[in-house]
């Protein structure tokens, strides 16, 4: 196996962490992810997503079949467990992901890189809509934290919620500021002027 410092997907890490608790079959993994409300962190909406992840982990030698359980009705279930390499890998993945920011390509940052070609009034309108959506998301996250406190959950089990709240609040403040700056005229641009700037400074690849 290549010494990848990060998993191919967050779901791969979650599967390994679950198997570090106990050997289990894929259906139990999916149900635990949902019951622990970690399906906000990893996508298990498609039934085959866990099976595809398991296939990759098997090929990489990180997990192995421990038991094949027969069923009276319906298909049998295969129980998986960690290999020794899987134990070392999940520790390495967690350490790396905690300490080193990943080079990611989020959708919002990508579209911000392209808005110079869009009318500022349209950009402001859509940012205001985004701010409303972020406000609703923040209210939901706050309510989930209140419920967690009522249930007496230890803080370590809701750190991802804390992080989501902090990031959402920061994004909301920034989006509101940019929308306000466009509305006041402090942030303004002309598509024609930007096109002229590009023609002046960007290389002519057709020459």
């Amino acid at each position: 196996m290549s010494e990848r410092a990060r998993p191919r997907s967050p779901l791969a890490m979650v599967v390994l962490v679950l198997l570090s608790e106990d050997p289990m079959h894929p259906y139990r993994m999916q149900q635990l992810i949902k019951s622990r409300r970690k399906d906000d962190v990893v996508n298990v909406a498609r039934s085959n997503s866990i099976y595809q992840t398991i296939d990759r982990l098997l090929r990489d030698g990180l997990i192995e079949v421990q038991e094949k359980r027969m069923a009276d009705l319906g298909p049998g279930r295969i129980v998986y467990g960690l290999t020794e390499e899987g134990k070392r890998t999940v520790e390495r993945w967690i350490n790396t992901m905690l300490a080193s920011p990943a080079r990611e390509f989020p959708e919002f940052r990508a579209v911000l890189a392209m808005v110079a070609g869009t009318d500022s009034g349209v950009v402001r309108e859509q940012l205001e809509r985004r701010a409303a959506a972020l406000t609703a998301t923040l209210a939901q996250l706050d309510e989930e934290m209140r419920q967690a406190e009522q249930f007496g959950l230890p803080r370590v089990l809701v750190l991802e919620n804390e992080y989501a709240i902090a990031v959402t609040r920061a994004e909301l403040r920034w989006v509101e500021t940019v929308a306000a700056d466009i509305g006041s005229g402090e942030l303004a641009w002309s598509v024609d002027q930007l096109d002229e700037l590009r023609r002046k400074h960007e290389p002519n690849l057709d020459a």
Side-chain angles (χ1 to χ4, degrees):
M1 191 196 85
S2 62
E3 285 294 309
R4 292 190 304 272
R6 298 179 185 275
R8 294 184 182 181
S9 70
L11 182 55
M13 183 197 66
V14 169
V15 168
L16 290 192
V17 171
L18 287 175
L19 292 178
S20 70
E21 298 176 5
D22 286 299
M24 61 184 73
H25 50 75
Y27 180 74
R28 176 164 173 76
M29 296 178 202
Q30 187 176 38
Q31 295 307 304
L32 283 176
I33 290 170
K34 291 181 177 180
S35 67
R36 295 176 184 180
R37 307 195 69 173
K38 305 306 181 186
D39 50 337
D40 287 338
V41 180
V42 292
N43 185 6
V44 291
R46 293 188 298 115
S47 60
N48 64 340
S49 57
I50 283 187
Y51 292 96
Q52 291 173 345
T53 299
I54 286 173
D55 286 342
R56 288 196 299 268
L57 295 174
L58 276 170
R59 289 196 301 268
D60 289 341
L62 303 183
I63 65 175
E64 60 187 1
V65 175
Q66 290 204 348
E67 181 185 356
K68 293 185 177 180
R69 296 177 180 172
M70 303 302 293
D72 294 333
L73 296 175
R77 288 176 175 168
I78 301 175
V79 176
Y80 298 92
L82 288 184
T83 62
E84 289 302 317
E85 180 61 25
K87 294 175 183 177
R88 291 189 293 268
T89 297
V90 71
E91 181 178 355
R92 184 173 67 248
W93 282 353
I94 289 175
N95 290 343
T96 301
M97 294 171 73
L98 283 173
S100 305
R103 188 186 179 203
E104 298 174 329
F105 300 91
E107 178 186 86
F108 186 46
R109 188 176 179 186
V111 73
L112 288 173
M114 299 293 113
V115 295
T118 304
D119 179 78
S120 61
V122 173
V123 175
R124 178 191 178 192
E125 178 184 354
Q126 300 309 318
L127 288 178
E128 289 173 344
R129 293 179 63 182
R130 186 180 187 91
L134 289 169
T135 299
T137 298
L138 191 56
Q140 180 180 349
L141 289 168
D142 285 336
E143 176 59 27
E144 290 174 358
M145 286 297 290
R146 282 192 291 271
Q147 292 178 5
E149 292 173 359
Q150 290 176 355
F151 289 138
L153 293 181
R155 185 182 177 190
V156 69
L157 294 182
V158 291
L159 285 178
E160 76 275 15
N161 290 62
E162 280 191 21
Y163 174 76
I165 289 171
V167 170
T168 304
R169 282 177 177 164
E171 181 180 337
L172 175 59
R173 286 195 298 269
W174 185 85
V175 167
E176 289 176 335
T177 298
V178 173
D181 288 346
I182 295 174
S184 68
E186 182 177 341
L187 174 58
W189 64 89
S190 163
V191 174
D192 291 337
Q193 288 177 343
L194 291 174
D195 284 342
E196 182 179 349
L197 186 65
R198 291 192 188 98
R199 288 193 294 269
K200 182 178 179 180
H201 293 285
E202 290 181 349
N204 183 5
L205 300 179
D206 296 327

